């Protein structure tokens, strides 16, 4: 098992304890030269670290001599910069700030009972990482149940410079909010942190022991042996847009990953934020968790476009400040330009408190936002509001919309009121820092108002004003009039903007005067399946929002046509109580149908159908409604199966229906007026077929099917063709 020539320095805080002795004994089985190196000798310069290929600090006991650790920072950092490997395990991970490896240390450290076996919940994008070579799957127990053990984890905060390789797998539960394996790149060397208290002295669970030994020997060999520490992707926290874009290729073979819709390069995305057309470029910021594909510690991710449909990744634009009111997350907000500067007004999250914060972009490319003065700009919610308090969130008061009217800013905030449910409240001001509370802008008994309204947005149209909010399940809209003098919205009609997975949308004004909206298309499968995918969340296609004759209208922005690739089929198909499989397939398609379902009762478009019929999704076009039937969409038990229904009873047939199928996204528009977006997760690689049917009475269907191209330059632009080739 030994590898000749690998020299390991085993760092110790002084004399070793049993556990450290056991770890050293283990290391000696893996490398042929492992030598104890007291930290005080590193600090004093008595030992020249260059004689080692790697260092391992397996601190089992609390670190009692911080001054010595701090004095080790320079020699350890230069050892790593020159290409050395450093492994910090157990409590040593808590010392990364003291060692100058990362300004943000783990925020949760200590000793805990371990009632169930525990270990890394490995990230899918790093499945080829050398540390997990030979280990199957993403879930690994490396510490047995039934003991007390030290730990060091990033829970509320993330390291600034490391990438998360793994969170926690405890018993049979995924705990994505507890990152424990981190990787830093310093110069040409690597630091790996493992904050689960592995114990080499303990031998009572053969399965866990085998996994731990495999994992630990992989790490030692990799850190000590490789001339450089290149891995498939991980080099530390990816920073530039180009570094982030590299991750897109990792998902090239995932048939459920959308390609024509905006997605995070990797990890998690939720709400669109700060949408703005600035200096000739469209900016899409979004709630982004760099830690993994789950909602936590949100930053503002950033993508830019010249045409609303082709996007490029940019570096993360806003990062929580461990010392600021946004320590736990830079939550949703908006952006406005004032005198050439772009400001973001967003919610800072800290300890469950939600406070309005203002930041200014440091350049015209909106690369980074920095605090624009003292934050928060509103210290506390108005005392007169009886805000809903729930465990972990003492006052629901968040998300921001700015509207300029009557020479002042109107600042709308979403809220939950203790007895009244969801509400929008507002402030006014003349600059963006001083705010006067004006009272509730919309509280209503007319509709079931849910418990909290998030992400309010007010849009003005010649035919009426539109206020929409997200109520935890859907986007509710109200059409009426905003009285700017009173800061009140007087609703006349209301409805659901999109009955599907569309949530927390935001809009921007185009230079030609359109209001273009993007919504977050939520995942509708379990958190564990999202973890396995390695990415979560997508944005809708850009849709133009209008109010005409008191009615909300939604249609795809005309720029969406630029995503069209080759035409696969153009035909007029007559069917009577029969189905026809079409000679097209794929996972990225735009299907345009013109059809009157009145005689047939129902005309159906079947997508992502497997040849044996075990998986398929059916768009049922009826006279009064268009229904997406997901009852057979997926064999995966956690995928949502309920119907999604959009009402079209008031529209006149024939209906023009545009269906955008993009991996797991199905987004459709009826008559350029109604929209529905939903998610489907077929498991079979042959679930790519397309069919049409019509009920008794028959229908003639004009059909036009195109392949959809990619929104991203780096992604494979074949609309899923490669996956279906050679079947
Ligand atoms: C809506 C939301 C917002 C919040 C953000 C946090 O999805 O909950 O209310 O600001 O997401 O990510």
């Amino acid at each position: 098992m030994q590898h000749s020539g690998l020299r390991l320095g085993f760092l110790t805080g002084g004399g070793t304890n049993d556990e450290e002795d056991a770890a050293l004994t283990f290391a000696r089985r893996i490398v042929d030269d492992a030598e104890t190196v007291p930290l005080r000798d590193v600090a004093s310069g008595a030992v020249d670290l260059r004689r080692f290929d790697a260092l391992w600090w397996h601190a089992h006991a609390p670190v009692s001599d911080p001054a010595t650790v701090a004095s080790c920072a320079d020699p350890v950092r230069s050892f790593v910069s020159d290409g050395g490997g450093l492994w910090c395990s157990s409590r040593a991970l808590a010392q990364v700030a003291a060692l100058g490896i990362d300004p943000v240390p783990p925020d949760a450290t200590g000793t805990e009972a371990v009632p169930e076996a525990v270990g890394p919940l490995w990230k899918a994008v790093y499945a080829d990482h050398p540390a997990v070579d030979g280990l199957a799957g993403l879930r690994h127990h490396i510490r047995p149940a039934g003991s007390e053990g030290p730990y060091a984890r990033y829970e509320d905060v993330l390291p600034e410079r490391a990438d998360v390789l793994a969170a926690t797998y405890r018993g049979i539960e995924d705990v994505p909010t507890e990152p424990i394996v981190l990787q830093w790149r310093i110069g040409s060397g690597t630091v790996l942190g493992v904050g689960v208290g592995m114990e080499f002295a303990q031998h009572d669970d053969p399965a866990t022991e085998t996994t731990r030994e495999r994992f630990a020997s992989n790490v030692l060999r990799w850190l000590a042996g490789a001339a450089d520490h290149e891995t498939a992707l991980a080099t530390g926290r990816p920073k530039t847009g180009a570094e982030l874009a590299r991750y897109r290729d990792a998902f090239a073979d995932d048939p459920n990953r959308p390609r024509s819709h905006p997605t995070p390069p990797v990890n998690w995305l939720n709400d669109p934020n700060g949408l703005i057309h600035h200096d000739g470029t469209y900016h899409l910021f979004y709630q982004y968790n760099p830690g993994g594909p789950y909602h936590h510690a949100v930053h503002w991710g950033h993508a830019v476009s010249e045409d609303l449909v082709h996007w490029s990744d940019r570096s993360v634009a806003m990062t929580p400040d461990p010392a600021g009111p946004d320590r736990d997350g830079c939550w949703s907000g908006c952006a406005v330009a004032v005198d050439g500067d772009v400001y973001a007004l967003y919610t800072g999250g800290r300890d469950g408190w939600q406070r309005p914060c203002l930041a200014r972009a440091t350049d015209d490319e909106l690369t980074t936002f920095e605090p624009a003065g003292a934050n928060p700009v509103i210290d506390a919610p108005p005392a007169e509001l009886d805000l809903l308090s729930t465990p972990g969130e003492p006052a629901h008061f968040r998300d921001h919309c700015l509207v300029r009217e009557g020479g002042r800013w109107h600042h709308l905030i979403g809220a939950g009121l203790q007895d009244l449910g969801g509400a929008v409240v507002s402030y006014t001001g003349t600059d963006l820092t001083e705010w006067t509370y004006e009272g509730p802008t919309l509280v209503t008994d007319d509709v079931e108002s849910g418990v909290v309204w998030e992400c309010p947005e007010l849009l003005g149209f010649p035919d009426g004003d539109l206020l929409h909010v997200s109520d935890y399940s859907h986007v509710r809209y109200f059409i009426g009039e905003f009285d700017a003098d009173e800061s009140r919205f007087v609703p006349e009609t209301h409805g659901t903007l999109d009955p599907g997975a569309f949530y927390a949308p935001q809009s921007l004004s185009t230079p030609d005067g359109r209001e273009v909206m993007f919504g977050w298309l939520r995942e509708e499968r379990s958190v564990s399946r999202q973890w396995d995918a390695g990415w979560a969340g997508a944005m809708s296609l850009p849709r133009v929002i209008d109010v005409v004759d008191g009615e909300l209208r939604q249609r795809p922005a005309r720029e969406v046509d630029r995503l069209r690739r080759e035409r696969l089929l153009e035909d007029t198909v007559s069917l009577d109580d029969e189905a026809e499989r079409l000679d097209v397939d794929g996972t990225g398609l735009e299907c345009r149908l013109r059809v009157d379902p009145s005689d047939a009762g129902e005309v159906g478009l079947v997508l992502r159908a497997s040849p044996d019929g075990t998986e398929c999704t059916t768009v049922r076009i009826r006279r009064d409604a268009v229904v997406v039937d997901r009852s057979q969409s997926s064999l995966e038990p956690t995928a949502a199966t309920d119907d999604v229904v959009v009402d079209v009873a008031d529209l006149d047939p024939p209906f023009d229906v545009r269906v955008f199928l993009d991996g797991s996204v199905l987004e459709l528009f009826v008559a350029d007026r109604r929209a529905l977006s939903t998610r489907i997760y077929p498991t079979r690689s042959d679930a790519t077929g397309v069919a049409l049917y019509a009920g008794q009475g028959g229908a003639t269907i004009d059909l036009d099917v195109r392949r959809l191209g990619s929104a991203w330059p780096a992604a494979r632009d074949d609309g899923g063709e490669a996956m279906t080739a050679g079947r």
Side-chain angles (χ1 to χ4, degrees), residues 270-271 287 295 298 331-332 398-399 454-455 503-504 520:
N270 61 297
D271 316 353
Q287 294 280 281
H295 184 254
V298 279
W331 294 357
S332 285
R398 61 179 174 273
D399 308 334
E454 310 182 283
C455 300
Y503 197 74
W520 165 37

PDB file of all heavy atoms in Angstrom, residues 270-271 287 295 298 331-332 398-399 454-455 503-504 520, ligand 1:
ATOM      1  N   ASN A 270     -32.485  30.957  -7.068  1.00  0.00           N
ATOM      2  CA  ASN A 270     -33.908  31.283  -6.950  1.00  0.00           C
ATOM      3  C   ASN A 270     -34.157  32.671  -7.512  1.00  0.00           C
ATOM      4  O   ASN A 270     -33.614  32.965  -8.597  1.00  0.00           O
ATOM      5  CB  ASN A 270     -34.502  31.004  -5.562  1.00  0.00           C
ATOM      6  CG  ASN A 270     -33.928  31.753  -4.397  1.00  0.00           C
ATOM      7  OD1 ASN A 270     -32.765  31.603  -4.074  1.00  0.00           O
ATOM      8  ND2 ASN A 270     -34.719  32.552  -3.727  1.00  0.00           N
ATOM      9  N   ASP A 271     -34.939  33.489  -6.896  1.00  0.00           N
ATOM     10  CA  ASP A 271     -35.498  34.688  -7.523  1.00  0.00           C
ATOM     11  C   ASP A 271     -34.562  35.475  -8.450  1.00  0.00           C
ATOM     12  O   ASP A 271     -33.399  35.700  -8.094  1.00  0.00           O
ATOM     13  CB  ASP A 271     -35.905  35.695  -6.435  1.00  0.00           C
ATOM     14  CG  ASP A 271     -36.630  35.066  -5.283  1.00  0.00           C
ATOM     15  OD1 ASP A 271     -36.951  33.883  -5.338  1.00  0.00           O
ATOM     16  OD2 ASP A 271     -36.881  35.785  -4.294  1.00  0.00           O
ATOM     17  N   GLN A 287     -30.686  35.045  -7.022  1.00  0.00           N
ATOM     18  CA  GLN A 287     -30.337  34.453  -5.742  1.00  0.00           C
ATOM     19  C   GLN A 287     -29.521  33.191  -6.022  1.00  0.00           C
ATOM     20  O   GLN A 287     -30.002  32.263  -6.681  1.00  0.00           O
ATOM     21  CB  GLN A 287     -31.614  34.105  -4.970  1.00  0.00           C
ATOM     22  CG  GLN A 287     -32.426  35.320  -4.571  1.00  0.00           C
ATOM     23  CD  GLN A 287     -31.865  35.990  -3.334  1.00  0.00           C
ATOM     24  OE1 GLN A 287     -32.080  35.536  -2.223  1.00  0.00           O
ATOM     25  NE2 GLN A 287     -31.122  37.083  -3.529  1.00  0.00           N
ATOM     26  N   HIS A 295     -31.165  25.845  -1.088  1.00  0.00           N
ATOM     27  CA  HIS A 295     -31.346  27.246  -0.714  1.00  0.00           C
ATOM     28  C   HIS A 295     -30.674  27.547   0.610  1.00  0.00           C
ATOM     29  O   HIS A 295     -31.038  27.000   1.642  1.00  0.00           O
ATOM     30  CB  HIS A 295     -32.838  27.588  -0.617  1.00  0.00           C
ATOM     31  CG  HIS A 295     -33.043  29.039  -0.334  1.00  0.00           C
ATOM     32  ND1 HIS A 295     -33.430  29.511   0.892  1.00  0.00           N
ATOM     33  CD2 HIS A 295     -32.864  30.124  -1.124  1.00  0.00           C
ATOM     34  CE1 HIS A 295     -33.497  30.835   0.836  1.00  0.00           C
ATOM     35  NE2 HIS A 295     -33.153  31.230  -0.374  1.00  0.00           N
ATOM     36  N   VAL A 298     -27.594  32.908   0.425  1.00  0.00           N
ATOM     37  CA  VAL A 298     -27.682  33.377  -0.961  1.00  0.00           C
ATOM     38  C   VAL A 298     -26.853  34.630  -1.231  1.00  0.00           C
ATOM     39  O   VAL A 298     -26.795  35.557  -0.417  1.00  0.00           O
ATOM     40  CB  VAL A 298     -29.144  33.597  -1.406  1.00  0.00           C
ATOM     41  CG1 VAL A 298     -29.775  32.272  -1.796  1.00  0.00           C
ATOM     42  CG2 VAL A 298     -29.953  34.303  -0.336  1.00  0.00           C
ATOM     43  N   TRP A 331     -30.521  38.789   0.202  1.00  0.00           N
ATOM     44  CA  TRP A 331     -31.781  38.297  -0.328  1.00  0.00           C
ATOM     45  C   TRP A 331     -32.293  39.217  -1.427  1.00  0.00           C
ATOM     46  O   TRP A 331     -31.609  40.136  -1.863  1.00  0.00           O
ATOM     47  CB  TRP A 331     -32.795  38.147   0.816  1.00  0.00           C
ATOM     48  CG  TRP A 331     -32.410  37.069   1.802  1.00  0.00           C
ATOM     49  CD1 TRP A 331     -31.333  36.224   1.721  1.00  0.00           C
ATOM     50  CD2 TRP A 331     -33.075  36.748   3.017  1.00  0.00           C
ATOM     51  NE1 TRP A 331     -31.308  35.390   2.817  1.00  0.00           N
ATOM     52  CE2 TRP A 331     -32.369  35.685   3.618  1.00  0.00           C
ATOM     53  CE3 TRP A 331     -34.202  37.247   3.648  1.00  0.00           C
ATOM     54  CZ2 TRP A 331     -32.760  35.118   4.826  1.00  0.00           C
ATOM     55  CZ3 TRP A 331     -34.606  36.675   4.854  1.00  0.00           C
ATOM     56  CH2 TRP A 331     -33.890  35.625   5.434  1.00  0.00           C
ATOM     57  N   SER A 332     -33.555  39.019  -1.787  1.00  0.00           N
ATOM     58  CA  SER A 332     -34.038  39.636  -3.022  1.00  0.00           C
ATOM     59  C   SER A 332     -34.157  41.150  -2.944  1.00  0.00           C
ATOM     60  O   SER A 332     -34.413  41.724  -1.886  1.00  0.00           O
ATOM     61  CB  SER A 332     -35.377  39.024  -3.392  1.00  0.00           C
ATOM     62  OG  SER A 332     -35.124  37.745  -3.911  1.00  0.00           O
ATOM     63  N   ARG A 398     -39.747  41.836   3.861  1.00  0.00           N
ATOM     64  CA  ARG A 398     -38.598  41.700   2.950  1.00  0.00           C
ATOM     65  C   ARG A 398     -38.981  41.933   1.494  1.00  0.00           C
ATOM     66  O   ARG A 398     -40.145  41.887   1.136  1.00  0.00           O
ATOM     67  CB  ARG A 398     -37.987  40.303   3.079  1.00  0.00           C
ATOM     68  CG  ARG A 398     -38.954  39.192   2.728  1.00  0.00           C
ATOM     69  CD  ARG A 398     -38.285  37.831   2.848  1.00  0.00           C
ATOM     70  NE  ARG A 398     -39.216  36.748   2.661  1.00  0.00           N
ATOM     71  CZ  ARG A 398     -39.957  36.194   3.617  1.00  0.00           C
ATOM     72  NH1 ARG A 398     -39.859  36.636   4.861  1.00  0.00           N
ATOM     73  NH2 ARG A 398     -40.789  35.220   3.342  1.00  0.00           N
ATOM     74  N   ASP A 399     -37.951  42.102   0.691  1.00  0.00           N
ATOM     75  CA  ASP A 399     -37.991  42.214  -0.767  1.00  0.00           C
ATOM     76  C   ASP A 399     -38.485  43.616  -1.164  1.00  0.00           C
ATOM     77  O   ASP A 399     -39.382  44.155  -0.508  1.00  0.00           O
ATOM     78  CB  ASP A 399     -38.857  41.123  -1.409  1.00  0.00           C
ATOM     79  CG  ASP A 399     -38.458  39.735  -0.916  1.00  0.00           C
ATOM     80  OD1 ASP A 399     -37.285  39.574  -0.527  1.00  0.00           O
ATOM     81  OD2 ASP A 399     -39.323  38.843  -0.894  1.00  0.00           O
ATOM     82  N   GLU A 454     -44.280  37.947  -0.687  1.00  0.00           N
ATOM     83  CA  GLU A 454     -42.878  38.206  -0.979  1.00  0.00           C
ATOM     84  C   GLU A 454     -42.786  38.925  -2.326  1.00  0.00           C
ATOM     85  O   GLU A 454     -43.701  38.874  -3.146  1.00  0.00           O
ATOM     86  CB  GLU A 454     -42.107  36.889  -1.088  1.00  0.00           C
ATOM     87  CG  GLU A 454     -42.327  35.936   0.073  1.00  0.00           C
ATOM     88  CD  GLU A 454     -41.489  34.660  -0.076  1.00  0.00           C
ATOM     89  OE1 GLU A 454     -41.839  33.772  -0.871  1.00  0.00           O
ATOM     90  OE2 GLU A 454     -40.484  34.576   0.620  1.00  0.00           O
ATOM     91  N   CYS A 455     -41.648  39.528  -2.538  1.00  0.00           N
ATOM     92  CA  CYS A 455     -41.257  40.044  -3.852  1.00  0.00           C
ATOM     93  C   CYS A 455     -42.337  40.867  -4.546  1.00  0.00           C
ATOM     94  O   CYS A 455     -42.738  40.553  -5.674  1.00  0.00           O
ATOM     95  CB  CYS A 455     -40.824  38.889  -4.751  1.00  0.00           C
ATOM     96  SG  CYS A 455     -39.448  37.974  -4.086  1.00  0.00           S
ATOM     97  N   TYR A 503     -42.338  31.723 -10.027  1.00  0.00           N
ATOM     98  CA  TYR A 503     -42.397  32.359  -8.705  1.00  0.00           C
ATOM     99  C   TYR A 503     -41.471  33.574  -8.641  1.00  0.00           C
ATOM    100  O   TYR A 503     -40.456  33.655  -9.340  1.00  0.00           O
ATOM    101  CB  TYR A 503     -41.983  31.337  -7.633  1.00  0.00           C
ATOM    102  CG  TYR A 503     -42.403  31.750  -6.243  1.00  0.00           C
ATOM    103  CD1 TYR A 503     -43.726  31.675  -5.858  1.00  0.00           C
ATOM    104  CD2 TYR A 503     -41.475  32.238  -5.337  1.00  0.00           C
ATOM    105  CE1 TYR A 503     -44.130  32.080  -4.592  1.00  0.00           C
ATOM    106  CE2 TYR A 503     -41.863  32.648  -4.069  1.00  0.00           C
ATOM    107  CZ  TYR A 503     -43.196  32.562  -3.704  1.00  0.00           C
ATOM    108  OH  TYR A 503     -43.600  32.966  -2.459  1.00  0.00           O
ATOM    109  N   ALA A 504     -41.841  34.506  -7.753  1.00  0.00           N
ATOM    110  CA  ALA A 504     -41.001  35.667  -7.405  1.00  0.00           C
ATOM    111  C   ALA A 504     -40.455  36.410  -8.625  1.00  0.00           C
ATOM    112  O   ALA A 504     -39.272  36.723  -8.675  1.00  0.00           O
ATOM    113  CB  ALA A 504     -39.846  35.215  -6.496  1.00  0.00           C
ATOM    114  N   TRP A 520     -38.663  32.879 -11.460  1.00  0.00           N
ATOM    115  CA  TRP A 520     -37.920  31.683 -11.024  1.00  0.00           C
ATOM    116  C   TRP A 520     -38.812  30.465 -11.259  1.00  0.00           C
ATOM    117  O   TRP A 520     -39.943  30.424 -10.789  1.00  0.00           O
ATOM    118  CB  TRP A 520     -37.566  31.841  -9.553  1.00  0.00           C
ATOM    119  CG  TRP A 520     -37.116  30.594  -8.860  1.00  0.00           C
ATOM    120  CD1 TRP A 520     -36.346  29.579  -9.361  1.00  0.00           C
ATOM    121  CD2 TRP A 520     -37.400  30.219  -7.499  1.00  0.00           C
ATOM    122  NE1 TRP A 520     -36.132  28.620  -8.402  1.00  0.00           N
ATOM    123  CE2 TRP A 520     -36.768  28.989  -7.254  1.00  0.00           C
ATOM    124  CE3 TRP A 520     -38.119  30.833  -6.466  1.00  0.00           C
ATOM    125  CZ2 TRP A 520     -36.834  28.345  -6.024  1.00  0.00           C
ATOM    126  CZ3 TRP A 520     -38.186  30.188  -5.245  1.00  0.00           C
ATOM    127  CH2 TRP A 520     -37.541  28.957  -5.025  1.00  0.00           C
TER     128      TRP A 520
HETATM  129  C1  LIG B   1     -38.656  34.381  -2.447  1.00  0.00           C
HETATM  130  C2  LIG B   1     -37.701  34.629  -1.302  1.00  0.00           C
HETATM  131  C3  LIG B   1     -37.655  36.093  -0.931  1.00  0.00           C
HETATM  132  C4  LIG B   1     -36.320  36.230  -0.276  1.00  0.00           C
HETATM  133  C5  LIG B   1     -35.489  35.281  -1.088  1.00  0.00           C
HETATM  134  C6  LIG B   1     -34.421  34.583  -0.312  1.00  0.00           C
HETATM  135  O1  LIG B   1     -38.385  33.189  -3.097  1.00  0.00           O
HETATM  136  O2  LIG B   1     -38.069  33.862  -0.177  1.00  0.00           O
HETATM  137  O3  LIG B   1     -38.707  36.507  -0.112  1.00  0.00           O
HETATM  138  O4  LIG B   1     -35.817  37.526  -0.321  1.00  0.00           O
HETATM  139  O5  LIG B   1     -36.369  34.327  -1.642  1.00  0.00           O
HETATM  140  O6  LIG B   1     -33.651  33.778  -1.157  1.00  0.00           O
END
